[in-house]
Amino acid sequence: MTTHRLAARDLTLGYEDRIVVRDLDLEVPAGRVTVVVGPNACGKSTLLRSLGRLLKPVSGSVLLDGAALRDLPTREIARRIGVLPQSPVPPEGITVADLVARGRQPYQRWWQQWSDEDEDVVADAMRRTDVVELADRYVDELSGGQRQRVWIAMALAQGTGILLLDEPTTFLDIAHQVEVLDLVRELNVTRERTVVAVLHDLNQACRYADHLIAMRDGSIVAQGAPAEIVTADLVRDVFGLACVVIPCPVTGAPMVVPGQPREAG
Amino acid sequence: MSHRPYGHVLIRRPRFSFLVHRRSAVVASVLAVLLAAVFLLGLCVGVRFIPPGDVLRVLFGADESIVVETLRLPRTTVGLLVGLAFGIAGALIQTVARNPLASPDVIGVSHGAAAAVVFGLVFGFGGPTATPLTAIAGGSVAAFLVYVLAWRRGLNAQRFVLIGVGISVALAAVTNLLLTKADITLAQQAKVWMSGSLNGRGWSQGEPLTWVLLALVPAIVWAARAARSAGFDDDTAIALGVRLGRIRLGLVVVGVLLASVATGAAGPVDFVALVAPQVARRLARTPQVPLVCSALLGALIVVSADIGARMLISNAELPVGVLTAAVGGPYLLWMLTRSRAGGAS
């Protein structure tokens, strides 16, 4: 898999007349898992959406291998960047195998609807995400964890070097959260895939990120390896939370434990 | 184990490969055979029954019959084309609106056409050639208005349907106002057109309809594949490299053109565009509406209903739209209450 470079230059983002992110510069480390964290409404999802051209910048640009996204055909981008939005909607009544196969859309034409490569890549994506047994089930009837695996399979079938995930663990219980994040980690290790994910849970972010980006009010406050940047001061600064940071007993990654709970009564 | 999309047959040659949904293909073949049979029956029945053998001889030029050639053949052909057009239009509009209850009447086409036609009749430019044209103009303008008003940084499916209903109600009020102002015979004439009728329809309606349908064939072929992606949300579609905005606009334009042209030829034949896509989808068991099946089913419904309209009462003729509404309405209700998927949007 060829590695692609994704970067942002002077990026200003917003909706209607509200600016959410201002003059942001970013270099996404190639072949690494980057996790973006920050309080609600800090602009982390907005940033991810613009990296995946789901949102047009107000000014500045997102560069893919040096070319601005706005100058590239969306289909061409779809062969290099896969995006899993926060709450994707499947076509009604679609089966798992069909949905995963839709990931091949960027490679298909009206007269080229299915190739051997399509078949191989879809089979591989389904195997890696462990959804082969679900192939003939309807997506509507799956549990949250299964459905999320299917969406990831579709994004994998796109065969892109870059994968952007917007809160992929929301609505999942802790076992499924770990399962999904382990999968993401594994995709990166074995495939040298570049992953950028927005996560809510700071401890999960520390556990899975090679590169952590902490955002507040639309700007990057700190970035780097979790072990190097996550301190009680940073958490207070970014989230306004008093806490203690200790090494995780399992991975050794920084673990954030909030301060004394308020007394009952 | 194969991982190609479920239930599809792969047809492959070095330069191209097509996925064909097996069940859709079977359903389409059966519908085509039924349609041919009903079409033939439509040529046989009427005031005087002509045996199928005689009709076939006339069709293949071995015999002559004024009744078949100048009355029944054009009329049944118009019915067939109108049905095809409504079947496709309904499928495309339901796909874009993501709502099985959407149809050309919901997004203003039928009411726009009706208002324009009544306006034309009242102010003296109604007639065999003018009426279809005013209907097309009225339907397209109304649909354009709905589309533009529903546009807010992209087309919102829900706004699309709601604004369509609002505009339709307003247009219906305009139509009623015009009818109350109008002379009684004109009002009568307009009422018949508004209930959808194939009575007296001939080549003058059939010919323009044929040309428009032929001209739209490439667009329809494109739509059949493009419609697959319309079920995704905007973000997911863009992620897959699909320009959903353009696809939606294209599908609506093709759908509105087909519905307006068909309405111009036969009036708003109720429920065909609403029912055909949903029934076709249930028969073929596909996630999106199968376009070919929906078209064939639409034609089958209109041609059959027209036979019924001619046969039900002796000495008089029902407008075909009354029949499609009488059968289509209850059927739709039954389908929606019975099926789990029917109510979802």
Side-chain angles (χ1 to χ4, degrees):
Chain A
M1 188 157 290
T2 44
T3 45
H4 296 290
R5 300 209 150 262
L6 193 60
R9 294 274 173 274
D10 294 328
L11 199 59
T12 297
L13 306 169
Y15 302 94
E16 311 261 284
D17 48 355
R18 189 167 50 95
I19 296 296
V20 178
V21 170
R22 198 180 290 280
D23 300 331
L24 184 138
D25 282 296
L26 175 67
E27 201 80 45
V28 175
R32 297 300 175 88
V33 175
T34 298
V35 176
V36 188
V37 293
N40 293 336
C42 72
K44 54 190 192 300
S45 276
T46 306
L47 172 64
L48 193 87
R49 281 168 54 79
S50 82
L51 291 178
R53 54 88 172 80
L54 303 183
L55 181 74
K56 286 197 184 92
V58 175
S59 65
S61 49
V62 175
L63 304 176
L64 175 59
D65 299 325
L69 283 188
R70 79 176 78 81
D71 298 332
L72 295 169
T74 186
R75 192 182 163 86
E76 178 54 41
I77 298 171
R79 295 178 182 188
R80 294 192 243 166
I81 304 178
V83 192
L84 185 54
Q86 212 170 86
S87 37
V89 179
E92 195 192 324
I94 196 169
T95 60
V96 169
D98 281 12
L99 186 62
V100 178
R102 294 296 180 90
R104 301 306 293 165
Q105 176 90 29
Y107 303 89
Q108 293 167 342
R109 289 288 183 187
W110 190 91
W111 62 94
Q112 278 290 349
Q113 300 187 349
W114 197 251
S115 66
D116 285 338
E117 195 191 346
D118 291 338
E119 181 123 4
D120 293 345
V121 175
V122 167
D124 184 55
M126 290 181 71
R127 236 187 347 262
R128 297 182 140 270
T129 49
D130 203 16
V131 298
V132 177
E133 283 80 45
L134 305 175
D136 294 341
R137 297 269 300 277
Y138 289 104
V139 177
D140 317 328
E141 40 179 64
L142 301 181
S143 72
Q146 292 172 325
R147 197 174 307 175
Q148 197 62 345
R149 291 210 310 266
V150 171
W151 282 115
I152 292 175
M154 187 191 87
L156 284 185
Q158 247 177 281
T160 57
I162 300 171
L163 199 54
L164 308 180
L165 307 167
D166 196 354
E167 298 193 17
T169 55
T170 322
F171 307 124
L172 301 184
D173 62 42
I174 186 159
H176 284 114
Q177 290 184 7
V178 169
E179 184 186 301
V180 163
L181 291 171
D182 279 345
L183 171 65
V184 169
R185 186 77 252 186
E186 184 198 316
L187 294 174
N188 174 258
V189 171
T190 54
R191 286 290 172 99
E192 300 173 324
R193 206 182 292 261
T194 304
V195 177
V196 183
V198 166
L199 290 182
H200 250 305
D201 187 310
L202 198 48
N203 290 330
Q204 282 178 353
C206 293
R207 182 181 160 114
Y208 291 99
D210 297 312
H211 188 82
L212 189 70
I213 295 177
M215 283 182 74
R216 195 194 60 200
D217 299 333
S219 337
I220 294 175
V221 178
Q223 57 177 320
E228 285 163 21
I229 64 163
V230 177
T231 60
D233 284 346
L234 180 79
V235 177
R236 192 184 330 105
D237 206 22
V238 173
F239 289 93
L241 176 77
C243 71
V244 178
V245 176
I246 54 168
C248 167
V250 177
T251 62
M255 196 167 92
V256 175
V257 182
Q260 190 71 21
R262 195 172 295 167
E263 292 293 332
Chain B
M1 160 154 194
S2 162
H3 293 274
R4 81 181 51 127
Y6 183 73
H8 286 73
V9 186
L10 181 62
I11 299 170
R12 189 149 70 169
R13 295 286 173 275
R15 302 301 301 271
F16 61 84
S17 58
F18 289 106
L19 284 171
V20 179
H21 189 259
R22 196 183 292 123
R23 201 179 154 93
S24 299
V26 172
V27 170
S29 316
V30 172
L31 286 173
V33 171
L34 282 178
L35 182 59
V38 171
F39 188 85
L40 184 63
L41 187 65
L43 301 179
C44 298
V45 300
V47 178
R48 186 170 61 87
F49 184 82
I50 304 172
D54 295 357
V55 171
L56 282 175
R57 267 197 295 283
V58 175
L59 284 184
F60 291 105
D63 202 346
E64 281 178 16
S65 158
I66 292 182
V67 174
V68 171
E69 281 170 38
T70 62
L71 292 175
R72 293 185 193 168
L73 184 59
R75 174 187 182 145
T76 312
T77 306
V78 170
L80 175 94
L81 296 174
V82 163
L84 288 175
F86 274 132
I88 300 172
L92 298 181
I93 288 165
Q94 287 180 1
T95 302
V96 173
R98 284 188 207 163
N99 191 329
L101 294 176
S103 73
D105 13 317
V106 169
I107 64 155
V109 176
S110 310
H111 291 93
V117 165
V118 172
F119 186 86
L121 288 173
V122 170
F123 290 93
F125 53 96
T129 41
T131 293
L133 292 177
T134 42
I136 293 165
S140 309
V141 168
F144 175 76
L145 201 64
V146 170
Y147 198 86
V148 168
L149 288 176
W151 188 272
R152 180 167 291 179
R153 298 188 308 122
L155 184 76
N156 178 320
Q158 220 164 359
R159 278 173 67 88
F160 187 48
V161 171
L162 288 176
I163 288 175
V165 170
I167 295 271
S168 295
V169 170
L171 286 168
V174 171
T175 309
N176 279 328
L177 183 70
L178 286 167
L179 282 176
T180 42
K181 295 271 183 205
D183 166 280
I184 186 85
T185 40
L186 282 177
Q188 195 63 31
Q189 213 182 323
K191 275 285 186 192
V192 170
W193 183 87
M194 280 167 65
S195 54
S197 175
L198 289 173
N199 192 8
R201 298 300 189 275
W203 294 130
S204 57
Q205 284 85 25
E207 211 176 311
L209 198 53
T210 310
W211 288 121
V212 173
L213 279 177
L214 283 177
L216 285 176
V217 163
I220 294 166
V221 169
W222 164 82
R225 171 115 180 130
R228 302 186 331 145
S229 302
F232 283 112
D233 59 301
D234 292 56
D235 279 2
T236 310
I238 299 171
L240 291 173
V242 173
R243 294 166 164 279
L244 205 51
R246 283 191 196 182
I247 286 184
R248 287 211 187 100
L249 180 62
L251 297 179
V252 169
V253 167
V254 175
V256 165
L257 281 175
L258 286 169
S260 325
V261 173
T263 307
V269 183
D270 280 334
F271 282 102
V272 177
L274 186 66
V275 169
Q278 291 307 311
V279 176
R281 192 178 142 211
R282 277 163 182 74
L283 289 176
R285 299 199 194 132
T286 48
Q288 73 273 3
V289 176
L291 215 52
V292 176
C293 294
S294 179
L296 291 170
L297 196 62
L300 188 65
I301 293 172
V302 174
V303 175
S304 318
D306 186 45
I307 295 174
R310 274 184 276 166
M311 301 289 290
L312 270 184
I313 1 179
S314 50
N315 298 330
E317 229 183 74
L318 283 170
V320 66
V322 171
L323 222 78
T324 55
V327 178
Y331 185 71
L332 187 78
L333 272 178
W334 173 73
M335 202 170 63
L336 289 176
T337 47
R338 179 182 157 273
S339 129
R340 184 179 58 88
S345 56

